[in-house]
Amino acid sequence: MARRADFEIGTERIAPGKRRTVDLPVSVLSDHTPVTMSAHVVHGRRAGPVVFVSAGIHGDEIIGIEIVRRLLGHSTLRSLRGTLVAVPIVNAFGFLNHSRYLPDRRDLNRCFPGSRTGSLASRLAHLFLNEIVMRADLGIDLHSAAVHRSNLPQIRVSPDQPETLRLARIFGAPVILLSKLRDGSMRGAAREAGVDVLLYEAGEALRFDETAVRAGTLGILRILHSQGMIPAKGVSQPRRRPLLCRSSHWVRAAQGGLLRSFRSEGDVVKEGEILAIVSDPFGQSEVPVVADAGGIIVGRTVFPSVNEGDALFHIAGIASLERAETTLEAIASQWEEEPLEYEDEII
């Protein structure tokens, strides 16, 4: 049997059966501090697909970093077929500054495909696209909600990609949300390059959430198993088919004030149901926040001070409220029953 070829990334070569962290140079700061984008490569002895898992494209979205950490320590990777490339922090600048953005105030996920000679954000996008995305057959990109918001674990796919929809169902997050590709996004640039990418959204910026971490880690393991890269042992399959949501909208504040929320992400709500109350600081004016349509809350603000017009609750449409409730209950109980790989994961 012929020996599998080494995996090349940057100036490094990783032999079959080996794993290594590779530092890809990004820039040098004004104080002469070098900045790199670090990728951990697990190159299996046996042939198989190349899958990348990335997090921290937005520097304040740290849940994905913890998911990558747990994934890389999972015992099933010892018998990996193919190659796993994990980048826990794409945007090191934003991560160090607890910020979504880069120092030039650009959103990295609006700068793809980037340019070798463009802005800092453009150069980082170009590096990530060419060194990571273009070497892969499939990608999983991990995100959370923006600061002061929280998302229910969900997979977002574009409406016209049946293969990513199939993989999203395998991932097993409770909700699959159809979402158009945005100009300058990594997912859009990857599609242009012929690489399918699943976008996982869960939790809140600058916070860890155990449910979001467990759901993301388990979902990635399911995808790796579906690609024939890891064995089935220790990888449970979803008990219920995820809810496919074809549309969503935000319910906004009718006035500014202090928000008291009655419903949270994952709650199934009916049209006309009161979701929250917005009060003025003196308690003289109270305006209810009412669901203008039935559906499932897939995201919400967690900051109690709101202005008129602020987005408060992100509601996704569903075909059956009853089915949604039973599906969410079954999936949530499965996450709670999942065995932990490490004692330090018990929080």
Side-chain angles (χ1 to χ4, degrees):
M1 180 177 176
R3 178 181 180 274
R4 192 181 182 209
D6 294 349
F7 186 81
E8 298 183 28
I9 181 171
T11 59
E12 303 286 332
R13 298 172 66 96
I14 295 91
K18 302 295 183 181
R19 55 192 298 171
R20 188 188 312 166
T21 299
V22 177
D23 295 326
L24 302 170
V26 175
S27 72
V28 177
L29 299 181
S30 56
D31 67 348
H32 201 63
T33 301
V35 178
T36 62
M37 181 176 66
S38 299
H40 190 84
V41 179
V42 184
H43 192 42
R45 292 184 181 277
R46 293 171 290 179
V50 177
V51 173
F52 79 82
V53 178
S54 58
I57 280 184
H58 296 132
D60 59 354
E61 298 181 1
I62 63 174
I63 280 178
I65 302 171
E66 172 64 7
I67 292 173
V68 172
R69 184 193 73 81
R70 294 194 190 182
L71 172 67
L72 290 177
H74 205 275
S75 58
T76 55
L77 297 188
R78 299 190 192 115
S79 55
L80 182 78
R81 289 176 178 263
T83 306
L84 174 67
V85 182
V87 185
I89 305 172
V90 178
N91 176 6
F93 305 94
F95 175 74
L96 292 174
N97 290 303
H98 305 165
S99 170
R100 180 183 182 89
Y101 305 104
L102 283 99
D104 58 7
R105 294 297 300 166
R106 285 181 168 89
D107 183 335
L108 180 59
N109 210 25
R110 299 294 179 269
C111 295
F112 286 89
S115 166
R116 192 188 300 273
T117 58
S119 67
L120 177 60
S122 183
R123 294 177 188 218
L124 180 55
H126 180 271
L127 174 70
F128 182 74
L129 183 66
N130 285 273
E131 288 289 352
I132 306 299
V133 177
M134 300 286 283
R135 299 178 187 275
D137 301 300
L138 174 67
I140 304 170
D141 191 30
L142 308 174
H143 288 261
S144 73
V147 67
H148 300 320
R149 290 182 180 175
S150 183
N151 279 339
L152 177 74
Q154 59 196 260
I155 290 287
R156 296 186 181 179
V157 298
S158 58
D160 56 346
Q161 289 188 277
E163 176 60 15
T164 52
L165 179 57
R166 183 186 72 84
L167 293 172
R169 290 192 170 106
I170 292 171
F171 192 101
V175 166
I176 301 171
L177 186 59
L178 298 187
S179 174
K180 293 181 180 179
L181 296 173
R182 294 192 176 186
D183 292 341
S185 69
M186 185 272 284
R187 193 159 56 108
R191 185 179 181 187
E192 288 292 323
V195 180
D196 288 329
V197 175
L198 292 177
L199 176 63
Y200 176 68
E201 286 269 5
E204 181 184 352
L206 299 176
R207 299 287 186 274
F208 277 175
D209 179 286
E210 180 64 15
T211 296
V213 172
R214 286 195 184 197
T217 306
L218 178 57
I220 295 170
L221 293 173
R222 288 169 176 162
I223 294 296
L224 296 181
H225 171 60
S226 76
Q227 301 300 299
M229 298 175 69
I230 60 173
K233 185 178 180 180
V235 183
S236 64
Q237 298 306 306
R239 293 177 182 169
R240 292 296 181 96
R241 191 179 179 91
L243 301 169
L244 178 61
C245 302
R246 300 184 179 276
S247 63
S248 66
H249 68 283
W250 281 93
V251 177
R252 298 183 177 272
Q255 75 167 31
L258 303 177
L259 178 72
R260 305 197 311 276
S261 295
F262 307 141
R263 307 308 298 264
S264 186
E265 61 271 26
D267 286 350
V268 177
V269 298
K270 299 177 181 179
E271 182 179 357
E273 185 173 340
I274 296 177
L275 308 177
I277 294 287
V278 178
S279 307
D280 78 314
F282 305 101
Q284 296 176 337
S285 172
E286 292 196 342
V287 175
V289 179
V290 179
D292 53 4
I296 179 172
I297 299 175
V298 295
R300 67 181 180 101
T301 183
V302 295
F303 195 60
S305 175
V306 300
N307 292 308
E308 183 175 339
D310 281 357
L312 303 182
F313 293 92
H314 190 193
I315 299 180
I318 47 180
S320 168
L321 299 183
E322 291 184 359
R323 176 178 176 268
E325 289 177 341
T326 56
T327 296
L328 291 167
E329 289 172 0
I331 292 176
S333 65
Q334 186 174 7
W335 290 335
E336 293 174 359
E337 295 168 9
E338 281 297 313
L340 299 176
E341 278 274 309
Y342 309 104
E343 292 183 0
D344 71 346
E345 291 178 16
I346 302 175
I347 62 174

